[in-house]
Amino acid sequence: MSVCVNLHLRNKKVVLVGGGNVAYRKCKQFLESGANVYVVAFTICEEIKKSKAICFEEELSLTFLNDAFLVYAATNDETYNHEIVMYCKKNGILCGSAVRDENVSVSSMMQSVQENFTLALDTHGLAPALGKKIVQEAVDDIKNKYIKIFTLLSIISNGVNEETYKALRPVISFYPESKLVSIAHMLEKKKVRIEILHGSKDSVLLEKELPRFIQHIQTEDDHIEACFSSLPIYEKCKEEYPHLFSLDEILFLAKHLKEIQFCFDLLFVNKGTWYQNVYHQCRVYGEILPFWISASKWKIWIQELVKKHSTKLCIFVMHEKNPEFQSLCRQYGAEAVWMKETMYSFTKKELCVIPLFIGRGYHFKKDIVQGKDSFVKRLLEQGYTVEMEPFSLLDRQVKDEVK
């Protein structure tokens, strides 16, 4: 039984006994690894002589091996090779041989050294030529499947200190490419804004509305990432949407990536037990942002929606009172209301309702659309007609539910 290891030979004394074609191939390999190579043989081929190896065309004195880090026997005499191996074994010197010998301490393997990985193979002497072909095919396969992963891990490794990467490596090594790209962007920006949702299995939200929302609030200064705080929902979605992070994954990154400023935007309908739990987890690692996006972003969004629904009155529904945002809406001919309000007096009967939270879960159905005392029901009872705005990251089927 043996264990495969890499020998780091830079500036180490390596003695190669033999001067033929096999010795030349090993000499080339040792020199490429940075070793100080000494070649001893009665006859040494011209290729070795032209290399940077130090050559001695003479009989080997076994004592010359005593201070060697590694010895490799590559003569055409198996008995002599075995004698060298046994001497090294007796004196505790690492030694390999070009022919099979149970007493060697080092076995030479066919290898391919790439920028981000090294692949080695030993066919146990059965088919060296075939082994070379297998190695090349395996290298090509690894490049096709994993080279982007290796490249991204290298970028991440270079962006943090050694201790940080050691902590990250056991987890992020199994991340899909899309998540590694996100981490690389986080390290580049040094500032990350996390949009935290409870979770949703809705394909419209995940494939259209959420990406569109993130694009709308994106700035040049920070990286924006969405995550699910509900682990059961995340587990059901992660195979189909591998780019999505769970809250646990985000908090893991925030814990270790000290060079990044994390900010958390908690997008929940109300501030109950779940909200409080997420809030207290996140505040350990970064700033908890106000629910609202910056005023400049809101101005753009309000203006776009008012223009789009020019025949209707745009009603922004808030999960809590916010006089500043209410004043901002009125500047552009819109209204902002608290979803628990019961009486309304609007200037138009045709309304476009834009809820300011993401997802169409239980609370949305209960408090906004379908509940016996929902916001929409109260509007309909007071004689208003209601249209829901899909840009607010709601399922487009909500329109049918309102009707």
Side-chain angles (χ1 to χ4, degrees):
M1 187 68 179
S2 61
V3 176
C4 295
V5 296
N6 278 331
L7 288 178
H8 298 285
L9 301 178
R10 181 169 298 278
N11 298 323
K12 297 291 195 301
K13 179 180 178 179
V14 175
V15 178
L16 181 59
V17 184
N21 291 333
V22 174
Y24 170 64
R25 289 196 294 272
K26 299 309 298 180
C27 178
K28 184 178 178 182
Q29 183 181 6
F30 294 147
L31 287 171
E32 288 175 351
S33 69
N36 300 323
V37 181
Y38 298 81
V39 180
V40 183
F42 284 115
T43 304
I44 299 175
C45 68
E46 289 301 316
E47 289 82 0
I48 293 178
K49 289 180 179 179
K50 292 177 182 178
S51 72
K52 293 183 179 181
I54 300 172
C55 300
F56 298 95
E57 284 190 313
E58 59 187 47
E59 182 179 357
L60 172 69
S61 170
L62 292 176
T63 57
F64 182 69
L65 308 178
N66 289 348
D67 62 345
F69 179 79
L70 173 66
V71 174
Y72 196 87
T75 74
N76 57 4
D77 185 336
E78 291 190 19
T79 301
Y80 187 42
N81 288 342
H82 179 68
E83 181 183 342
I84 294 169
V85 168
M86 294 307 296
Y87 178 85
C88 290
K89 183 178 181 179
K90 179 181 178 181
N91 290 277
I93 304 168
L94 292 176
C95 184
S97 175
V99 295
R100 290 185 63 81
D101 192 318
E102 294 180 355
N103 294 284
V104 296
S105 52
V106 175
S107 294
S108 180
M109 303 173 71
M110 286 164 286
Q111 68 176 20
S112 177
V113 180
Q114 304 297 315
E115 181 178 359
N116 293 315
F117 69 94
T118 297
L119 185 68
L121 176 71
D122 185 0
T123 62
H124 297 172
L126 296 175
L130 178 61
K132 185 176 181 179
K133 179 175 181 292
I134 293 171
V135 167
Q136 187 56 55
E137 289 178 354
V139 166
D140 293 340
D141 188 49
I142 290 172
K143 283 184 175 181
N144 290 334
K145 291 182 178 180
Y146 299 108
I147 193 62
K148 290 183 179 179
I149 297 291
F150 284 132
T151 300
L152 288 165
L153 288 172
S154 178
I155 292 171
I156 294 169
S157 174
N158 292 332
V160 298
N161 61 49
E162 185 177 352
E163 289 302 314
T164 297
Y165 188 71
K166 283 182 179 179
L168 294 174
R169 184 173 59 195
V171 176
I172 68 171
S173 295
F174 297 97
Y175 277 3
E177 180 184 333
S178 55
K179 286 186 179 178
L180 295 178
V181 169
S182 293
I183 297 173
H185 286 165
M186 292 179 190
L187 288 167
E188 179 185 0
K189 295 288 187 179
K190 301 298 183 185
K191 185 178 180 182
V192 182
R193 174 174 173 156
I194 305 299
E195 303 294 329
I196 304 177
L197 297 80
H198 178 271
S200 173
K201 295 178 284 184
D202 170 31
S203 61
V204 174
L205 170 71
L206 294 171
E207 296 173 11
K208 296 182 180 179
E209 302 297 346
L210 185 55
R212 193 160 127 196
F213 174 77
I214 290 175
Q215 183 180 16
H216 192 77
I217 63 175
Q218 183 69 63
T219 70
E220 293 183 0
D221 298 329
D222 53 12
H223 175 77
I224 297 180
E225 201 66 52
C227 77
F228 283 178
S229 60
S230 170
L231 191 57
I233 296 178
Y234 168 75
E235 290 292 337
K236 293 177 181 177
C237 296
K238 68 178 183 180
E239 294 299 326
E240 189 172 358
Y241 303 100
H243 63 283
L244 278 174
F245 283 91
S246 69
L247 178 60
D248 287 346
E249 289 174 325
I250 290 294
L251 294 179
F252 169 79
L253 295 174
K255 176 182 178 180
H256 294 288
L257 295 174
K258 305 295 186 182
E259 49 276 281
I260 295 177
Q261 177 187 349
F262 280 83
C263 302
F264 300 95
D265 201 0
L266 278 58
L267 304 177
F268 293 96
V269 179
N270 56 39
K271 296 187 176 181
T273 303
W274 188 268
Y275 174 92
Q276 294 299 328
N277 181 44
V278 173
Y279 177 90
H280 289 294
Q281 288 185 74
C282 294
R283 68 181 299 187
V284 175
Y285 301 109
E287 177 188 359
I288 305 296
L289 297 174
F291 183 81
W292 311 107
I293 305 168
S294 65
S296 60
K297 283 291 184 182
W298 278 122
K299 286 179 182 179
I300 294 172
W301 193 12
I302 293 169
Q303 286 176 299
E304 288 178 351
L305 289 170
V306 168
K307 183 178 179 180
K308 178 180 177 181
H309 301 282
S310 58
T311 63
K312 301 178 177 66
L313 178 63
C314 289
I315 306 295
F316 292 85
V317 185
M318 302 177 290
H319 70 297
E320 60 182 78
K321 294 180 179 180
N322 189 308
E324 291 79 14
F325 183 72
Q326 190 173 48
S327 175
L328 187 63
C329 287
R330 288 175 177 170
Q331 289 181 32
Y332 298 99
E335 287 287 346
V337 300
W338 183 37
M339 68 180 183
K340 294 297 184 181
E341 291 181 28
T342 56
M343 295 300 295
Y344 312 100
S345 179
F346 300 129
T347 57
K348 295 180 181 180
K349 284 294 183 179
E350 294 185 351
L351 308 178
C352 178
V353 174
I354 306 141
L356 295 181
F357 50 84
I358 305 174
R360 188 174 68 96
Y362 168 77
H363 292 292
F364 172 76
K365 291 182 178 181
K366 174 180 175 293
D367 297 326
I368 300 296
V369 181
Q370 295 177 328
K372 64 180 181 179
D373 190 34
S374 68
F375 178 77
V376 168
K377 185 177 180 181
R378 294 196 299 271
L379 289 175
L380 295 175
E381 289 175 348
Q382 295 176 41
Y384 294 100
T385 59
V386 178
E387 177 184 346
M388 303 297 289
E389 169 53 54
F391 183 72
S392 59
L393 309 182
L394 305 175
D395 188 340
R396 297 180 189 280
Q397 293 177 7
V398 166
K399 287 186 176 181
D400 299 328
E401 292 181 2
V402 173
K403 295 176 184 177

